[in-house]
Amino acid sequence: MNLPNKISIARVCLIPLFMVLLLTPLPFGSWEFAGALLPVSHAVGGGLFVLAAATDWLDGYIARKYNLISNFGKFLDPLADKLLVTAALLSLIQLDLLPAWMAIVIVSREFAVTGMRLVAAANGDVIAASPLGKWKTVFQMAALAVLLFHDLPFVIWDIPAGMILMWIAVMLTIVSGVDYFLKNKHVFQGSM
């Protein structure tokens, strides 16, 4: 198993640890910043999320730089991303920091695009990530990180940065999903 795939597996293994640390109240209380409170468990969980999200960039960089791209990696890397994002979305809903409908839009798009990719793969086609899809991922990860840290340090200016980023992520989620289906409608032609 090559290094990028090991990094992707490490990302998957960080997910349960991230959720436990985020959702289990630690006995260390909260930190105050500009009048806002950040529970230590959320800071630790948020830090683990940022670390896990950074491994997404790292494994891709190493795979491309050293020509270590593999079929297993093409399967594992997006799966690890989807699991991490879904875990963060569900955690934020449980913490009452994110409306459930936003999570449903994001998760539904991921299921739909993954399903289309599976149908395409069965026909011998590979659907690569689009620039819109990559921007969607960047905004999702940024929004989730800011929400996990309760909008710190943006609370100084009373800016709901996490929700602003999440609205952008939701819009990119919808637009990129429509884009994938329009550009790849040939995948379903003849099978309906």
Side-chain angles (χ1 to χ4, degrees), residues 90-103:
L90 293 175
S91 297
L92 287 168
I93 292 168
Q94 182 171 335
L95 295 170
D96 203 27
L97 296 172
L98 181 74
W101 74 264
M102 288 181 148

Side-chain angles (χ1 to χ4, degrees), residues 83-159:
L83 290 172
L84 178 63
V85 167
T86 302
L89 290 168
L90 293 175
S91 297
L92 287 168
I93 292 168
Q94 182 171 335
L95 295 170
D96 203 27
L97 296 172
L98 181 74
W101 74 264
M102 288 181 148
I104 291 297
V105 168
I106 291 170
V107 171
S108 297
R109 181 260 190 213
E110 298 304 335
F111 275 119
V113 170
T114 299
M116 181 181 62
R117 282 188 166 135
L118 289 172
V119 171
N123 295 330
D125 292 334
V126 174
I127 298 174
S130 73
L132 273 174
K134 290 180 181 184
W135 278 109
K136 177 253 335 164
T137 301
V138 167
F139 275 93
Q140 280 178 2
M141 296 295 191
L144 293 168
V146 173
L147 287 170
L148 287 166
F149 284 104
H150 296 231
D151 283 328
L152 297 179
F154 302 100
V155 293
I156 294 172
W157 303 287
D158 199 29
I159 298 173

Side-chain angles (χ1 to χ4, degrees), residues 8-31:
S8 292
I9 288 173
R11 181 162 66 253
V12 171
C13 292
L14 281 175
I15 294 169
L17 183 60
F18 149 70
M19 290 188 76
V20 167
L21 291 174
L22 177 70
L23 299 174
T24 304
L26 297 176
F28 305 118
S30 298
W31 293 328

Side-chain angles (χ1 to χ4, degrees), residues 163-176:
M163 286 309 295
I164 291 168
L165 291 169
M166 187 55 72
W167 272 100
I168 295 169
V170 167
M171 287 186 276
L172 285 171
T173 296
I174 294 166
V175 171
S176 67

